[in-house]
Amino acid sequence: MKISIVGATGYAGAELLRLLASHQVAEVKYITSESQPGTAIADIYPHLTRFYPQTLTSLVDLEKLAVESDVIFIGLPHGHAMEVGRKATAINPTIKIIDLGADYRFKNHDVYEEWYKVPHTHREAKTVYGLTELNRSQVREASIVGNPGCYTTASILALAPLVKNNLVDLTTIIVDAKSGVSGAGRGLNLGSHFSEVFESVKAYNVGGHRHTPEIEEVLGGLAGEELTINFTPHLIPMPRGILSTCYANLKAGVTPEMVDEAYNSQYGNEYFVRLLGRGGYPVTKNTRSSNFCDLGWHIDKRTKRVIAISAIDNLVKGAAGQAIQNMNVMFNIDEKTGLDNAPVYP
Amino acid sequence: MKISIVGATGYAGAELLRLLASHQVAEVKYITSESQPGTAIADIYPHLTRFYPQTLTSLVDLEKLAVESDVIFIGLPHGHAMEVGRKATAINPTIKIIDLGADYRFKNHDVYEEWYKVPHTHREAKTVYGLTELNRSQVREASIVGNPGCYTTASILALAPLVKNNLVDLTTIIVDAKSGVSGAGRGLNLGSHFSEVFESVKAYNVGGHRHTPEIEEVLGGLAGEELTINFTPHLIPMPRGILSTCYANLKAGVTPEMVDEAYNSQYGNEYFVRLLGRGGYPVTKNTRSSNFCDLGWHIDKRTKRVIAISAIDNLVKGAAGQAIQNMNVMFNIDEKTGLDNAPVYP
Amino acid sequence: MKISIVGATGYAGAELLRLLASHQVAEVKYITSESQPGTAIADIYPHLTRFYPQTLTSLVDLEKLAVESDVIFIGLPHGHAMEVGRKATAINPTIKIIDLGADYRFKNHDVYEEWYKVPHTHREAKTVYGLTELNRSQVREASIVGNPGCYTTASILALAPLVKNNLVDLTTIIVDAKSGVSGAGRGLNLGSHFSEVFESVKAYNVGGHRHTPEIEEVLGGLAGEELTINFTPHLIPMPRGILSTCYANLKAGVTPEMVDEAYNSQYGNEYFVRLLGRGGYPVTKNTRSSNFCDLGWHIDKRTKRVIAISAIDNLVKGAAGQAIQNMNVMFNIDEKTGLDNAPVYP
Amino acid sequence: MKISIVGATGYAGAELLRLLASHQVAEVKYITSESQPGTAIADIYPHLTRFYPQTLTSLVDLEKLAVESDVIFIGLPHGHAMEVGRKATAINPTIKIIDLGADYRFKNHDVYEEWYKVPHTHREAKTVYGLTELNRSQVREASIVGNPGCYTTASILALAPLVKNNLVDLTTIIVDAKSGVSGAGRGLNLGSHFSEVFESVKAYNVGGHRHTPEIEEVLGGLAGEELTINFTPHLIPMPRGILSTCYANLKAGVTPEMVDEAYNSQYGNEYFVRLLGRGGYPVTKNTRSSNFCDLGWHIDKRTKRVIAISAIDNLVKGAAGQAIQNMNVMFNIDEKTGLDNAPVYP
């Protein structure tokens, strides 16, 4: 299985390389960067020394890259990925595309255009939303997978059983999410400057974060009707990890056992979802560097609300890990291949 | 003004000492500890070297302490503070008591007993809830002040203008709060162990944290009716700071300008509340080591919710600083005395 | 290959379990704890959920454990490990012992007794000091391996080429080392309390740290004469990682190229030592969660000193990883088995 | 006392503003910035809200600024400060200049030019090196003070008593220093990017850091002869704090008591130097946000070395605090004015 990574110098790209280094089947062919072509990847990310002799190439080689690859992971900014996807599939119709950005995530392209402010230029693509646990059978058949956002993965996994089983009032969903700083990428800005972030927490993009419509579209699909949520992201002084605290009002007559049953039946056989049960408290550090999503839920009898909490590593289950999980599914190999490592703790 | 601190070896006690060291009027008389009597305070907290020659005394000296003090700050576990309060006021009827714990916070002692699991033994005490910005005139006349909890200070300041002005549906209030680890105190446990907390975030006590009824009682008082909220505390890998993200549905007909007006009229003249306005993002680090509460609010038009966000230093405005603010009010001196320092940043 | 871990609830024990979970040959048989027998290991370390169904057993089962195991890793306090080693080898003469503590590290038992303040009760044991890169051939034949300390691993790897090749004045060696907090273990004390350690650095045990005689004995062996060093450990506000900055005066006539050659010939073929060359700067994070030691060296022409710097993950190359590396050597399997993972960055 | 700050948008400038906000005598007149003139300082540093209504001005106003100020603090890059100094003293001959950069630190301008790679354009200036504890009487008479570097302050304070009293072999001095990240400033670069720095430690500029000749010149002056040292800076994952670990061989016949006496006689009456005594361990956090330098020293009998350790807050005693301390001395007011606050802990 020959893999190329287009746009590999961001943290998600580096994490793909880290994980693929111990993937028994995959072989990394090309690694591209428009900003630093000709540089050895180990000079940009010295931790990868011993694992990648490769030098970054430029995308001018797309023809060659598409022909010689079985699958392309794309780590480009939105708007650019669909261009690569369009061209690569034209060059090599059997190639698989897994885009870590937003270009292929939306069924409704108008919503994409409204939130991302660019025209969608690959509307005819047949794509699957790669939240593996929810869409495994479609992923298996897919050529192009839109790999979910980090916040969305955590939030949807926490809320899906409630929404799908009609247990909560859809107008009452609030997601309060806390993310590590690596989610903001390796680009330099004051908001990721060490001394500014350290010993500090803040909210940002209230009501306007682009993962909002993504969560809404997927949950709406599960519910069978459109819904609108509040999604509030927060920046936490740590590099990795997302904790998603999700609130919703229980519908009348819903018992705690019905909630338990919804989670257990949805995820009871999922390797990468570890259910901590009713009353359980996910801890981001317990998932660090791994593809696990830890999940717990709480019923507040006083307010008749359910509070579902999920923890992931934003760079793994929230990005590179789930992308590899999807690749494994698409190529019909053991879904855990390259991902079956215990989290790094403490 | 002679001050004694009963139970001074916790972080709130140390913070009282830090702040009082530059208070122009106050003189610290006795500092007590039952665990380490006879030890110099600077041996327990070396950062206080040069400021306190004192040695910790035991409470067996309560008679003397009460007679020689104008005001006592109490930093004891709940259940113990009211015993000291009862005895000290019996010994010296003109003494002022400021309790940093929960014993004197509740109007409804039954609620206290239900959540704190101990009988209230000082029900006859006339007490004032020391959220200075809301209760300044009562604090001025008070003999016994129940100093608010850290989470409650942040949460009530954020929600009070909305509740008081009848702008939100009282059944929809959700408070998602994020706190630094110093809130858990200096006592040793695995949950405050460095390697466990670092690069990790988690929720705890969902639906059961004792600050819940405190927020409810105060907001209920402002609303003129009982209310029930969801309050979810989270542990953030930093020592100081609380960010409180508060959600509520706006009542029909409430405009953004009405929300702005509620905040501006409530806090426009408050020195220690810094309004960042509609769309503003409080950052805990901007309040670090200071008595400020930074406040911003957001209207989500899609969901018709208001999201109010507050940031404080949990040890200052959330504990020792507000206690001194209350003392200043009680003694009719400039409220800012000893508290008018710029936050330490970065 | 059947493995048992005696004393597994510390961080080094947990790290052994993490790494062994992806070791293709090893099977973990017994995991013991005297403090929490009967508890599932995944309840103590939830990050290990999915990897270990085991419950901790007590050492009263040592007979059975020794018979059914091919190798025992010991994670007990010093003084206790040699008791287990003595008994286990008596029960099963072909068993292999790898002790992560100090009991089997010293050739000179008097030095051990002087620094560790307990009598050595297994002096007749034939042991090998398990710094794999230096003692590989002896490790291959060993029954009992004393796995090196974390500081010593980093320091000896940095200094060995200089000392062995007679390049430096042995009376001038100074090691200034910086360690993450996990080195202090999971036991509760104020020195590992989150709020105390955060945003703080300090030295400790100047002139008295027990890794001092260990470094001295090994370097003395390489030099062919006794030597005395200064070793100063520092606590850094991070869980993992050691940086060891080592100073020594170059002997007259030693050129920079001779220093380069010493490092290159010593480590040029070592997989787990990554040479950054003269002028290179090791970064602890580049080794995080991996078994690599990154090494750079500098010549200061003004002072005629060499400054050698090494970085490791104290729990991996400094403890559990090197223990597994030694096991692999002892069992004649690929030394990288279970250890060939890229570091987790960022 | 009218103060202007030239180049105020860096962390040292912000720290000057923070500290001057509670200085009873000083009044801040102009605050300049060439990068953001016209911006309110509180927009750049929101933590200063309530303390500074000022808007940044440009240096084109230097004439006015020099005439209306009693003292100017300069926070410009090296090479630029001396230009401002030259012009300002020409305009207003009685003005006092305190430069936080390197331009006025060196007696030997050739050394300055060699290490800083720019010609010195204000060689005729009469300047004093503002390490207050060592040069107080000269500072009192000075018009231009070169405020010491952060590393140099910590290192010189630790070593001065040893060098001045002829207790150590001057060829054996090694300074291994550990600094928080704020020392690298607010400018954006990958080396200060949160996710890169977090949970990581590294050395940098071995043998080449510009604070080296500064330490050498000052210690050489105390010794009465030239000397050369090794100075190795390290980056620690925290914003504030420097720990300087200093090694030197004791001269023959030097007793521990002679070392004690050297420290006690040098600093026994210094308010801002807190002696922890022989065997004491300074902790950076105990000095955080304050102007204190904590000092401890150790004698290693085995190696006959002294290890002296100092801790400061790099932005206070290492920059803005000492600058204000010098100003107080120059204006003959209590040296502690505006600086007598207890450190913020934890």
Side-chain angles (χ1 to χ4, degrees):
Chain A
M1 196 190 314
K2 281 172 186 148
I3 292 169
S4 290
I5 302 174
V6 172
T9 56
Y11 286 141
E15 193 69 354
L16 274 171
L17 289 168
R18 176 178 80 83
L19 293 166
L20 290 170
S22 41
H23 193 285
Q24 296 92 322
V25 183
E27 177 199 344
V28 174
K29 191 83 187 166
Y30 293 103
I31 313 174
T32 86
S33 161
E34 298 315 295
S35 56
Q36 296 168 284
T39 308
I41 185 69
D43 285 343
I44 296 174
Y45 284 111
H47 71 288
L48 295 176
T49 301
R50 292 275 186 272
F51 297 95
Y52 291 96
Q54 279 99 328
T55 289
L56 294 165
T57 61
S58 169
L59 255 187
V60 294
D61 301 314
L62 182 57
E63 175 95 28
K64 200 173 164 200
L65 183 151
V67 169
E68 299 183 20
S69 305
D70 298 310
V71 56
I72 297 178
F73 291 100
I74 306 180
L76 297 176
H78 72 268
H80 297 267
M82 53 192 168
E83 284 306 299
V84 171
R86 202 162 45 79
K87 289 175 191 162
T89 49
I91 294 164
N92 176 357
T94 67
I95 204 165
K96 309 280 192 185
I97 303 283
I98 302 173
D99 177 25
L100 279 78
D103 285 2
Y104 293 119
R105 289 179 190 158
F106 287 84
K107 285 198 168 69
N108 186 336
H109 298 113
D110 296 342
V111 170
Y112 171 86
E113 294 186 347
E114 180 191 340
W115 286 76
Y116 285 87
K117 313 290 181 201
V118 292
H120 200 292
T121 59
H122 198 192
R123 286 181 171 238
E124 71 281 14
K126 285 189 185 162
T127 66
V128 172
Y129 186 74
L131 219 164
T132 331
E133 281 75 12
L134 298 184
N135 296 339
R136 185 174 287 112
S137 59
Q138 299 97 299
V139 169
R140 186 163 287 127
E141 309 303 326
S143 294
I144 302 182
V145 163
N147 208 58
C150 51
Y151 281 124
T152 48
T153 296
S155 305
I156 292 169
L157 286 173
L159 287 164
L162 302 172
V163 167
K164 195 173 152 189
N165 292 287
N166 200 23
L167 302 178
V168 294
D169 178 346
L170 300 179
T171 67
T172 64
I173 297 175
I174 290 175
V175 176
D176 189 287
K178 297 91 183 163
S179 174
V181 182
S182 66
R186 211 187 198 195
L188 301 180
N189 63 70
L190 201 57
S192 302
H193 195 62
F194 184 81
S195 297
E196 305 283 318
V197 171
F198 193 84
E199 200 177 1
S200 196
V201 57
K202 66 173 178 184
Y204 64 101
N205 266 6
V206 170
H209 195 283
R210 285 164 168 170
H211 287 180
T212 312
E214 192 181 327
I215 301 172
E216 290 174 348
E217 183 173 275
V218 176
L219 292 183
L222 294 173
E225 59 178 292
E226 289 201 358
L227 52 79
T228 310
I229 66 162
N230 264 106
F231 170 69
T232 309
H234 295 77
L235 196 70
I236 304 297
M238 58 186 193
R240 286 172 182 253
I242 286 179
L243 192 85
S244 202
T245 312
C246 306
Y247 302 85
N249 290 10
L250 290 171
K251 289 200 165 169
V254 173
T255 65
E257 291 71 26
M258 289 163 70
V259 173
D260 299 352
E261 169 60 16
Y263 281 100
N264 290 329
S265 66
Q266 181 77 43
Y267 298 125
N269 294 317
E270 289 293 346
Y271 183 78
F272 288 119
V273 179
R274 301 191 296 196
L275 295 180
L276 310 186
R278 178 153 35 107
Y281 287 106
V283 174
T284 59
K285 194 161 194 162
N286 283 334
T287 68
R288 187 169 67 154
S289 79
S290 83
N291 200 47
F292 293 107
C293 174
D294 285 1
L295 252 175
W297 56 95
H298 302 254
I299 310 289
D300 188 327
K301 290 179 185 169
R302 300 164 70 251
T303 60
K304 297 188 177 52
R305 285 200 188 95
V306 57
I307 300 101
I309 309 174
S310 58
I312 61 168
D313 183 321
N314 57 307
L315 292 178
V316 190
K317 184 61 179 170
Q322 185 155 248
I324 292 170
Q325 187 182 1
N326 283 323
M327 177 187 76
N328 292 342
V329 171
M330 292 162 92
F331 285 86
N332 239 323
I333 62 175
D334 183 346
E335 192 171 319
K336 303 193 298 293
T337 309
L339 298 171
D340 198 16
N341 296 308
V344 174
Y345 185 98
Chain B
M1 198 189 313
K2 282 172 185 149
I3 293 168
S4 290
I5 302 174
V6 171
T9 56
Y11 286 141
E15 193 70 352
L16 275 171
L17 289 168
R18 176 178 79 83
L19 293 166
L20 290 170
S22 41
H23 192 286
Q24 296 90 323
V25 183
E27 175 197 347
V28 175
K29 192 82 186 168
Y30 294 104
I31 313 174
T32 85
S33 161
E34 298 315 295
S35 55
Q36 297 167 285
T39 309
I41 185 68
D43 286 344
I44 296 173
Y45 285 110
H47 71 288
L48 294 176
T49 301
R50 292 277 187 270
F51 298 95
Y52 291 95
Q54 280 99 329
T55 290
L56 294 165
T57 62
S58 168
L59 255 187
V60 295
D61 301 314
L62 182 58
E63 175 95 28
K64 201 175 161 196
L65 183 152
V67 170
E68 299 183 19
S69 305
D70 298 309
V71 56
I72 297 178
F73 292 100
I74 307 180
L76 298 177
H78 71 267
H80 297 266
M82 55 192 166
E83 283 307 298
V84 172
R86 203 162 47 78
K87 289 174 191 162
T89 49
I91 295 164
N92 177 356
T94 68
I95 203 165
K96 309 280 191 185
I97 304 283
I98 301 172
D99 177 25
L100 279 78
D103 285 2
Y104 293 117
R105 289 181 191 158
F106 287 84
K107 285 199 169 69
N108 185 337
H109 297 112
D110 296 343
V111 170
Y112 171 87
E113 294 186 347
E114 181 191 339
W115 286 77
Y116 286 86
K117 313 291 182 199
V118 293
H120 200 291
T121 60
H122 198 192
R123 288 181 169 238
E124 71 281 13
K126 286 190 184 158
T127 67
V128 172
Y129 186 73
L131 217 163
T132 330
E133 281 75 12
L134 297 184
N135 296 338
R136 185 174 286 113
S137 59
Q138 301 97 302
V139 169
R140 185 163 288 127
E141 309 303 324
S143 293
I144 302 181
V145 164
N147 208 58
C150 50
Y151 281 124
T152 47
T153 295
S155 306
I156 292 169
L157 285 173
L159 287 163
L162 302 172
V163 166
K164 196 173 150 190
N165 292 287
N166 200 22
L167 302 178
V168 295
D169 177 348
L170 299 178
T171 68
T172 64
I173 298 175
I174 291 175
V175 177
D176 189 286
K178 296 91 183 164
S179 174
V181 182
S182 67
R186 210 187 198 196
L188 300 180
N189 63 71
L190 201 57
S192 303
H193 195 63
F194 183 81
S195 298
E196 306 282 318
V197 171
F198 194 84
E199 202 178 358
S200 196
V201 57
K202 66 173 178 184
Y204 64 100
N205 267 5
V206 170
H209 195 283
R210 285 163 168 169
H211 287 180
T212 312
E214 191 180 327
I215 301 172
E216 290 174 347
E217 183 174 274
V218 177
L219 292 183
L222 294 172
E225 59 178 291
E226 289 201 359
L227 51 80
T228 311
I229 66 162
N230 264 107
F231 170 69
T232 309
H234 295 77
L235 196 70
I236 304 298
M238 58 185 194
R240 286 173 182 252
I242 286 179
L243 192 85
S244 203
T245 312
C246 306
Y247 302 85
N249 290 10
L250 290 172
K251 288 199 166 171
V254 173
T255 65
E257 291 70 27
M258 290 162 70
V259 173
D260 299 351
E261 169 60 17
Y263 282 101
N264 291 330
S265 67
Q266 181 78 43
Y267 298 125
N269 294 317
E270 290 293 345
Y271 184 79
F272 288 120
V273 178
R274 301 190 296 196
L275 295 180
L276 311 186
R278 179 153 34 108
Y281 288 107
V283 174
T284 60
K285 194 161 194 162
N286 283 334
T287 68
R288 186 168 68 154
S289 79
S290 83
N291 200 47
F292 292 107
C293 174
D294 285 0
L295 252 175
W297 56 97
H298 301 255
I299 311 288
D300 188 327
K301 289 178 185 170
R302 300 164 71 252
T303 60
K304 298 189 177 51
R305 285 199 188 96
V306 55
I307 299 100
I309 309 174
S310 57
I312 62 169
D313 183 320
N314 57 306
L315 292 179
V316 189
K317 184 61 180 172
Q322 185 155 249
I324 292 170
Q325 187 182 1
N326 283 324
M327 177 186 77
N328 292 343
V329 171
M330 292 161 93
F331 285 87
N332 239 322
I333 62 174
D334 183 347
E335 194 171 320
K336 302 193 298 295
T337 309
L339 298 171
D340 198 16
N341 296 308
V344 174
Y345 186 97
Chain C
M1 197 190 313
K2 280 173 185 149
I3 293 169
S4 290
I5 301 175
V6 172
T9 56
Y11 286 141
E15 192 70 353
L16 275 171
L17 290 167
R18 176 178 79 84
L19 292 166
L20 290 170
S22 40
H23 193 287
Q24 295 91 322
V25 183
E27 176 198 343
V28 175
K29 192 81 188 168
Y30 294 104
I31 313 174
T32 85
S33 161
E34 299 315 293
S35 55
Q36 295 168 285
T39 309
I41 185 69
D43 285 344
I44 295 174
Y45 284 111
H47 70 289
L48 295 176
T49 301
R50 290 277 186 270
F51 298 94
Y52 292 96
Q54 280 98 330
T55 289
L56 294 164
T57 62
S58 169
L59 255 189
V60 295
D61 301 314
L62 181 57
E63 175 95 28
K64 200 175 162 197
L65 182 151
V67 169
E68 299 183 19
S69 304
D70 298 309
V71 55
I72 298 178
F73 292 100
I74 306 181
L76 297 177
H78 71 268
H80 296 267
M82 54 192 167
E83 284 307 298
V84 171
R86 203 161 48 78
K87 289 175 190 161
T89 50
I91 295 164
N92 177 357
T94 68
I95 202 165
K96 310 278 192 187
I97 304 283
I98 301 172
D99 177 26
L100 279 80
D103 285 4
Y104 293 119
R105 288 181 192 158
F106 288 84
K107 284 200 169 68
N108 186 336
H109 297 112
D110 296 343
V111 170
Y112 171 86
E113 294 187 347
E114 181 191 339
W115 286 77
Y116 285 87
K117 312 291 180 199
V118 293
H120 200 290
T121 60
H122 197 192
R123 288 181 168 236
E124 69 282 13
K126 286 191 185 159
T127 66
V128 172
Y129 186 72
L131 218 163
T132 330
E133 281 76 13
L134 298 184
N135 297 338
R136 186 175 285 111
S137 59
Q138 300 96 300
V139 168
R140 186 163 287 126
E141 309 304 323
S143 294
I144 302 182
V145 163
N147 207 58
C150 50
Y151 281 125
T152 49
T153 296
S155 305
I156 292 169
L157 285 173
L159 287 164
L162 302 173
V163 166
K164 196 174 152 190
N165 292 286
N166 199 25
L167 302 178
V168 295
D169 177 348
L170 300 178
T171 67
T172 64
I173 298 174
I174 291 175
V175 177
D176 189 286
K178 296 90 183 164
S179 174
V181 182
S182 67
R186 212 186 197 196
L188 301 180
N189 61 71
L190 201 56
S192 304
H193 194 63
F194 183 81
S195 298
E196 305 281 319
V197 171
F198 194 84
E199 200 179 1
S200 196
V201 57
K202 66 172 177 182
Y204 64 101
N205 265 8
V206 171
H209 194 282
R210 285 162 167 170
H211 287 181
T212 312
E214 191 181 328
I215 301 172
E216 290 174 347
E217 183 174 274
V218 177
L219 291 183
L222 294 172
E225 58 178 293
E226 289 202 357
L227 53 78
T228 311
I229 67 162
N230 264 105
F231 170 69
T232 309
H234 295 78
L235 196 70
I236 305 297
M238 58 186 193
R240 286 171 181 252
I242 285 180
L243 192 85
S244 202
T245 311
C246 307
Y247 302 86
N249 289 11
L250 289 172
K251 288 198 168 171
V254 173
T255 64
E257 290 71 27
M258 289 163 70
V259 173
D260 298 352
E261 169 60 17
Y263 282 101
N264 290 330
S265 66
Q266 180 79 43
Y267 299 125
N269 294 316
E270 290 292 345
Y271 184 78
F272 288 120
V273 178
R274 300 190 297 195
L275 295 181
L276 310 186
R278 181 155 29 110
Y281 288 106
V283 175
T284 60
K285 194 161 196 163
N286 283 334
T287 68
R288 188 167 68 153
S289 80
S290 82
N291 200 47
F292 292 108
C293 174
D294 285 0
L295 252 175
W297 55 96
H298 301 255
I299 311 290
D300 189 326
K301 290 177 186 170
R302 301 164 70 250
T303 60
K304 298 188 175 50
R305 284 201 189 95
V306 57
I307 300 99
I309 309 173
S310 58
I312 62 168
D313 183 321
N314 58 306
L315 293 178
V316 190
K317 183 62 181 171
Q322 185 155 248
I324 293 169
Q325 187 182 0
N326 283 323
M327 178 188 76
N328 292 343
V329 171
M330 292 162 92
F331 286 86
N332 240 320
I333 62 174
D334 183 346
E335 193 172 319
K336 304 193 298 294
T337 310
L339 298 171
D340 198 16
N341 296 308
V344 173
Y345 186 97
Chain D
M1 198 189 313
K2 281 173 186 149
I3 293 169
S4 290
I5 301 174
V6 172
T9 55
Y11 286 141
E15 192 70 353
L16 275 171
L17 290 168
R18 176 179 79 83
L19 292 166
L20 290 170
S22 41
H23 193 286
Q24 296 91 324
V25 183
E27 176 198 345
V28 175
K29 192 82 187 166
Y30 295 103
I31 314 174
T32 84
S33 161
E34 299 315 295
S35 56
Q36 296 168 285
T39 308
I41 186 69
D43 286 344
I44 296 174
Y45 284 110
H47 70 288
L48 295 176
T49 301
R50 288 276 186 273
F51 297 96
Y52 291 95
Q54 280 99 328
T55 289
L56 294 165
T57 61
S58 167
L59 255 188
V60 295
D61 302 315
L62 181 56
E63 175 95 28
K64 200 174 163 199
L65 183 151
V67 169
E68 298 184 20
S69 305
D70 298 309
V71 56
I72 298 178
F73 292 100
I74 306 180
L76 298 177
H78 71 268
H80 297 267
M82 53 191 167
E83 283 307 299
V84 172
R86 203 162 47 79
K87 289 176 192 161
T89 48
I91 295 164
N92 178 356
T94 68
I95 203 166
K96 309 278 192 185
I97 304 283
I98 302 172
D99 177 26
L100 280 79
D103 285 2
Y104 293 118
R105 287 180 192 159
F106 288 83
K107 284 198 169 69
N108 186 335
H109 297 113
D110 296 342
V111 170
Y112 171 86
E113 293 187 349
E114 180 191 339
W115 287 76
Y116 285 87
K117 313 289 179 201
V118 293
H120 200 291
T121 59
H122 198 192
R123 287 181 170 235
E124 70 282 12
K126 287 190 184 158
T127 65
V128 172
Y129 186 73
L131 218 163
T132 331
E133 281 75 11
L134 297 184
N135 297 337
R136 186 175 285 112
S137 59
Q138 299 98 299
V139 169
R140 186 163 287 127
E141 309 304 324
S143 293
I144 302 182
V145 163
N147 208 58
C150 51
Y151 281 125
T152 48
T153 296
S155 305
I156 293 170
L157 286 173
L159 287 164
L162 302 173
V163 166
K164 195 174 153 190
N165 292 285
N166 199 24
L167 302 178
V168 295
D169 177 347
L170 299 178
T171 67
T172 64
I173 298 175
I174 291 175
V175 177
D176 189 286
K178 297 91 183 164
S179 174
V181 182
S182 66
R186 211 187 198 194
L188 301 180
N189 62 71
L190 201 56
S192 303
H193 195 63
F194 183 81
S195 297
E196 305 282 318
V197 172
F198 193 85
E199 200 177 1
S200 196
V201 57
K202 66 173 178 183
Y204 65 101
N205 266 8
V206 170
H209 194 282
R210 285 163 169 170
H211 286 180
T212 312
E214 191 181 327
I215 301 172
E216 290 174 346
E217 183 173 274
V218 177
L219 293 183
L222 293 173
E225 58 178 294
E226 290 201 358
L227 52 78
T228 311
I229 66 162
N230 263 106
F231 170 68
T232 309
H234 295 77
L235 196 70
I236 304 297
M238 58 186 194
R240 286 171 181 253
I242 285 180
L243 192 84
S244 202
T245 312
C246 307
Y247 301 87
N249 290 10
L250 289 172
K251 288 197 168 172
V254 173
T255 64
E257 290 70 26
M258 288 162 69
V259 173
D260 298 353
E261 169 60 17
Y263 282 101
N264 291 330
S265 66
Q266 181 78 43
Y267 299 125
N269 295 317
E270 290 293 345
Y271 184 78
F272 288 120
V273 178
R274 301 190 296 195
L275 295 180
L276 310 186
R278 179 152 33 108
Y281 288 106
V283 174
T284 59
K285 194 161 195 163
N286 282 334
T287 68
R288 187 168 66 156
S289 79
S290 82
N291 200 48
F292 292 107
C293 174
D294 284 1
L295 253 175
W297 55 96
H298 301 256
I299 312 289
D300 188 325
K301 289 178 185 169
R302 300 164 71 250
T303 60
K304 300 190 175 49
R305 283 201 189 94
V306 57
I307 300 100
I309 309 173
S310 58
I312 62 168
D313 184 320
N314 58 306
L315 292 178
V316 191
K317 184 61 180 170
Q322 186 155 247
I324 292 169
Q325 187 182 1
N326 284 323
M327 178 187 76
N328 292 342
V329 171
M330 292 162 93
F331 285 86
N332 240 321
I333 62 175
D334 183 346
E335 193 171 318
K336 303 193 299 295
T337 309
L339 298 171
D340 198 17
N341 295 309
V344 173
Y345 186 98

